[in-house]
Amino acid sequence: MNLPNKLTVLRVILVVPFVLCLLTGFAGVYSDWIALAIFIVASLTDMLDGKIARKYNLITNFGKFMDPLADKLLVCSALICLIEMGRIPAWIVVIIIAREFIISGFRTVASDNGVVIAASYWGKFKTVFQMIMVCLMIANIPAIAIVTDIIMWIAVALTVISLVDYVVKNKQVIFDGEI
C-alpha cells in the first residue's frame, strides 16, 4: 500500500464524514463549512495521488481501479447531497452521473481490448469546474448566487462537451469497425 493508494483510500473514507456533515447538520451552523473543508481536502488528495504516482512510478492496479472510483464516489455523493439540500436540480446531476457511467463503460471496453484511453483536457476542465461548482454550492453564499449559477452552467456544458469529445475520439472502441 503505497502513498498514492493510501491517499485514494483516505478520499473514500472522507466521503462518510463529508456526507454526515452536509446532511445531518450535527455541527450546527458550521456543518456546511466543515463539509466544504472535507470536500476540498478530499479533492486535493485526488490531484496529489496522481502526481505522486506518476512522478515516482507508483502506479498500481489497485490505484488504476480505485482512484477513478473514489473520484466518482466523492463527486456523486456531493451532488446527491446537494439535490437533497435543494441546491442543484436533479436533472443536472443525472447528466453528470450519466457521463461518468458512459466514460467508465468506454474505459472498460477499451481496457478489455488492451487499449488505454487517456483523459482529455476537456475532461480535466470539466472536473475543475465541477469541483468549483460543488464548493460554491456547499458554501451557499447568497451574495455570489449568480456566480454559482454561471459556474454550474459551465460545468454542465463542459460535462456534455467532454462526453461528446470522448465518444467521437474513441468510437472505434465500441463500434470496432461497425461504423
Side-chain angles (χ1 to χ4, degrees), residues 52-77:
I52 293 170
R54 285 185 295 277
K55 182 175 182 178
Y56 296 103
N57 196 26
L58 296 173
I59 297 166
T60 64
N61 286 335
F62 177 84
K64 287 182 207 175
F65 172 74
M66 281 303 296
D67 183 64
L69 190 61
D71 300 343
K72 286 168 186 47
L73 184 60
L74 176 65
V75 173
C76 291
S77 296

Side-chain angles (χ1 to χ4, degrees), residues 1-175:
M1 183 65 67
N2 62 35
L3 180 57
N5 290 344
K6 288 177 183 176
L7 289 170
T8 297
V9 170
L10 175 63
R11 190 162 58 259
V12 171
I13 292 168
L14 286 174
V15 170
V16 174
F18 168 71
V19 169
L20 286 174
C21 280
L22 213 50
L23 293 183
T24 66
F26 79 91
V29 296
Y30 301 107
S31 293
D32 283 1
W33 296 108
I34 294 168
L36 178 59
I38 293 169
F39 184 81
I40 290 169
V41 168
S43 296
L44 291 174
T45 67
D46 178 29
M47 181 181 69
L48 191 59
D49 69 11
K51 286 186 183 236
I52 293 170
R54 285 185 295 277
K55 182 175 182 178
Y56 296 103
N57 196 26
L58 296 173
I59 297 166
T60 64
N61 286 335
F62 177 84
K64 287 182 207 175
F65 172 74
M66 281 303 296
D67 183 64
L69 190 61
D71 300 343
K72 286 168 186 47
L73 184 60
L74 176 65
V75 173
C76 291
S77 296
L79 293 171
I80 291 166
C81 289
L82 289 167
I83 292 171
E84 175 74 16
M85 299 168 78
R87 295 185 188 172
I88 190 170
W91 67 269
I92 288 177
V93 175
V94 169
I95 289 171
I96 291 170
I97 293 175
R99 184 244 182 231
E100 298 307 322
F101 274 104
I102 293 166
I103 299 304
S104 293
F106 262 85
R107 285 205 167 115
T108 300
V109 171
S111 177
D112 288 349
N113 293 314
V115 176
V116 176
I117 300 175
S120 72
Y121 284 107
W122 286 112
K124 291 180 189 297
F125 293 141
K126 176 258 328 165
T127 299
V128 168
F129 275 89
Q130 283 181 1
M131 297 296 190
I132 293 168
M133 174 190 76
V134 168
C135 288
L136 290 171
M137 288 181 172
I138 293 169
N140 197 30
I141 301 169
I144 60 167
I146 293 209
V147 172
T148 303
D149 286 347
I150 290 168
I151 296 294
M152 178 188 71
W153 288 111
I154 292 170
V156 171
L158 288 172
T159 298
V160 173
I161 290 167
S162 67
L163 173 62
V164 170
D165 177 65
Y166 198 90
V167 170
V168 168
K169 287 182 179 172
N170 299 289
K171 63 182 178 279
Q172 76 284 354
V173 168
I174 297 294
F175 298 106

